[in-house]
Amino acid sequence: MNTATSTRELAHPTRDEIRLEGVLHALSDPMRLLIVREMAVAETELACSYFTLPVTKSTTTHHFRVLRESGVIRQAYRGTAKLNGLRREDLDALFPGLIERVLEAAALEADRLGTDG
């Protein structure tokens, strides 16, 4: 795994280090799936503060860390904000169609259950 070179840089796995089981684990949690769904719709980097999750700040931080360490998202500091972006290009190259199918299934489930997340 790439290591951070300063406190303002975050470690991310390279494309070759991303593993299917890690991605599936990261996407198996409803809060993390909600984060990924919102990133996919936005199609741009979003600050952590953009997300309103019904969990504590420390739990939110944990969810973002799991997503980053699995290779699902990329995080970068811009000033005082930590921006988050979906690593769609890497995920599509490694697992063609996976992220799109997961997002479609999550949307269908939300419709079926009458939830917005």
Side-chain angles (χ1 to χ4, degrees), residues 46-112:
L46 298 171
C48 291
S49 60
Y50 171 87
F51 300 90
T52 305
L53 302 175
V55 295
T56 64
K57 184 177 179 182
S58 63
T59 300
T60 298
T61 299
H62 167 76
H63 287 313
F64 278 101
R65 183 172 42 84
V66 170
L67 289 167
R68 177 175 45 83
E69 290 177 351
S70 68
V72 174
I73 68 170
R74 182 166 304 283
Q75 293 183 303
Y77 282 101
R78 302 281 193 283
T80 59
K82 189 187 293 181
L83 297 182
N84 305 279
L86 184 60
R87 291 180 67 176
R88 188 183 291 265
E89 184 177 313
D90 289 331
L91 295 171
D92 286 344
L94 292 167
F95 317 112
L98 175 68
I99 196 71
E100 200 57 42
R101 298 296 83 78
V102 167
L103 292 169
E104 288 172 3
L108 288 170
E109 180 176 77
D111 286 347
R112 181 174 54 87

